[in-house]
Amino acid sequence: MRIVNVSLGPRSYTIKVGSDLLARLGPDCARLGLGARCAVISDLNVARRFGKAARHSLSKAGFDPVSITVPAGETSKSLKFVQGCYDELARHRLERSSFIVALGGGVVGDLAGFVAATYLRGIAFVQAPTTLLAQVDSSVGGKVGVNLKAGKNLVGAFHQPRLVLCDLDALRTLPLREFRAGLAEVIKYGIIYDATLFDRLERELPKILGRDPKTLGALVARCCEIKAVVVGEDETESGVRAILNFGHTIGHALEAISSYGNYLHGEAISIGQVAAAELSRLALGLPGRDVDRIRTLFRRAGLPTQVTLNPARRRRLFNAMRLDKKVSGGEIKFVLAKRIGKAVWGQKVPEWMIEEILDPG
Ligand code: GLY
């Protein structure tokens, strides 16, 4: 098992990466001194596969878990389902000392985390991510929240988990489309922070797609390490944490104009990252061969790299981008890559450049 620490003073916590970790959920929660009552929030698919194991481990360690399930998919990340979770927590009389386990992918983690951040003005929560995307990104760092029709993650909070358990066994049965979507966040860390990781991804992609356990363990741990360093420096995104949003300005807008139905998050940010690489070429002089390497790696990972938009959808995309949280004073700010392994944030980009990369023909 690999251990990564997130250093945030009194809000510090441990990320564990390894096999058979769900069986240790109960004992690990007991070590944190959490109250007896808890709720395991997951989606219907995950609950079917891992719910029993999670609840069994918790009960054996002396906890009294209840289950709350939401439908699978991005549409559950909404205020309607937040309300449903509150009602269930109140019905089961969860108290201030109680805690929530977020068992599932990014949607469940963000939803359950937001519920934990706000129920009774905040209770503890533990992340048990079961998708690659959630293990390498969304379960770490305390960003929790839900979508509005107008945009992704427009309602939320910073609420750090008390523990993150990345059980690699869950990745064995993850549907291929979801596994590929998770790779979009993995590739992101290579582009924004770690050129050696990017080289390794280029070399080891077949082993990664074959889900070799040793390779995956090292990969998940490296991504968590990078995220822990960045979040440790800038918990609430007043500076460097913004680099983690590489590709997300266009990606989030694409998700919003597709009513959160067409693209998985990883697919949308794959398109967004290739677009951001093109913008980096125009605005910062990122070499064309690096843009090609980036596009090729996403393609080899089986991810989409471009989108065709008619004029009406393009207008909607621009409007959605203007609603992004990264807009300040009405200006859309981008995270761009200076080179592979080094990103800069807060970059103003003229609209004609965005038009150009969205319509290369
Ligand atoms: N997923 C971006 C962040 O956690 O800051």
Side-chain angles (χ1 to χ4, degrees):
M1 180 176 64
R2 292 176 157 86
I3 303 274
V4 178
N5 291 309
V6 184
S7 298
L8 291 168
R11 294 177 304 288
S12 298
Y13 53 96
T14 296
I15 305 165
K16 295 185 175 180
V17 180
S19 279
D20 206 22
L21 294 190
L22 219 43
R24 303 165 66 135
L25 175 65
D28 278 349
C29 289
R31 262 191 294 278
L32 293 171
L34 300 170
R37 281 188 92 62
C38 58
V40 179
I41 301 185
S42 52
D43 71 38
L44 289 165
N45 295 341
V46 173
R48 221 173 283 128
R49 281 161 59 205
F50 305 113
K52 204 165 153 200
R55 281 193 314 276
H56 177 69
S57 173
L58 287 163
S59 305
K60 234 173 94 190
F63 294 105
D64 180 13
V66 297
S67 261
I68 300 176
T69 48
V70 297
E74 189 76 30
T75 44
S76 289
K77 227 178 101 170
S78 67
L79 290 169
K80 179 178 145 198
F81 286 96
V82 170
Q83 173 75 57
C85 289
Y86 291 152
D87 290 342
E88 284 296 290
L89 295 179
R91 191 166 74 84
H92 290 291
R93 307 211 180 292
L94 264 78
E95 308 165 345
R96 270 240 155 111
S97 63
S98 308
F99 65 102
I100 286 172
V101 176
L103 176 68
V107 166
V108 160
D110 286 8
L111 168 73
F114 184 69
V115 169
T118 47
Y119 182 71
L120 303 181
R121 297 208 177 88
I123 62 174
F125 89 115
V126 167
Q127 288 271 20
T130 57
T131 64
L132 181 60
L133 187 135
Q135 294 192 354
V136 299
D137 182 54
S138 57
S139 66
V140 177
K143 273 191 186 174
V144 294
V146 294
N147 305 325
L148 298 182
K149 273 200 194 84
K152 269 279 279 196
N153 300 338
L154 290 185
V155 176
F158 288 100
H159 187 56
Q160 300 294 341
R162 299 287 300 277
L163 167 75
V164 181
L165 287 184
C166 300
D167 191 332
L168 298 168
D169 298 342
L171 303 183
R172 270 190 297 169
T173 49
L174 190 65
L176 181 61
R177 186 175 171 203
E178 293 220 27
F179 186 79
R180 291 184 192 281
L183 286 177
E185 295 282 7
V186 175
I187 295 171
K188 180 190 82 179
Y189 288 110
I191 299 171
I192 62 167
Y193 197 89
D194 185 348
T196 310
L197 171 65
F198 193 90
D199 295 346
R200 202 166 93 211
L201 293 172
E202 287 181 317
R203 265 195 330 272
E204 296 186 356
L205 193 65
K207 264 209 264 180
I208 296 166
L209 287 170
R211 307 195 200 187
D212 172 61
K214 247 178 96 183
T215 310
L216 281 187
L219 202 62
V220 171
R222 179 62 192 140
C223 294
C224 288
E225 263 168 27
I226 297 172
K227 181 130 191 198
V229 170
V230 173
V231 169
E233 266 177 50
D234 177 22
E235 183 181 5
T236 54
E237 201 171 301
S238 49
V240 68
R241 184 168 179 165
I243 64 171
L244 299 171
N245 299 325
F246 182 75
H248 284 55
T249 303
I250 290 176
H252 279 170
L254 259 181
E255 287 180 85
I257 67 166
S258 321
S259 310
Y260 308 106
N262 286 2
Y263 297 105
L264 295 178
H265 174 63
E267 293 167 344
I269 62 152
S270 169
I271 294 168
Q273 287 183 76
V274 174
E278 285 288 4
L279 281 180
S280 305
R281 181 175 59 78
L282 290 177
L284 292 184
L286 177 71
R289 67 176 176 282
D290 284 355
V291 179
D292 289 342
R293 281 178 72 193
I294 289 169
R295 184 183 288 104
T296 303
L297 188 53
F298 281 110
R299 273 202 192 131
R300 286 177 60 209
L303 286 159
T305 56
Q306 64 185 61
V307 63
T308 312
L309 298 168
N310 62 31
R313 270 170 66 75
R314 178 179 311 232
R315 250 194 324 278
R316 288 181 61 211
L317 187 85
F318 270 89
N319 287 339
M321 277 196 279
R322 288 193 191 94
L323 255 172
D324 195 87
K325 294 186 296 312
K326 290 160 291 283
V327 167
S328 124
E331 265 178 335
I332 306 170
K333 301 263 176 63
F334 278 85
V335 181
L336 299 178
K338 275 188 142 167
R339 57 175 189 274
I340 289 177
K342 174 77 187 155
V344 284
W345 68 95
Q347 301 293 305
K348 283 184 243 163
V349 172
E351 279 202 10
W352 69 262
M353 271 191 197
I354 308 172
E355 292 278 1
E356 187 167 315
I357 55 113
L358 286 175
D359 187 12

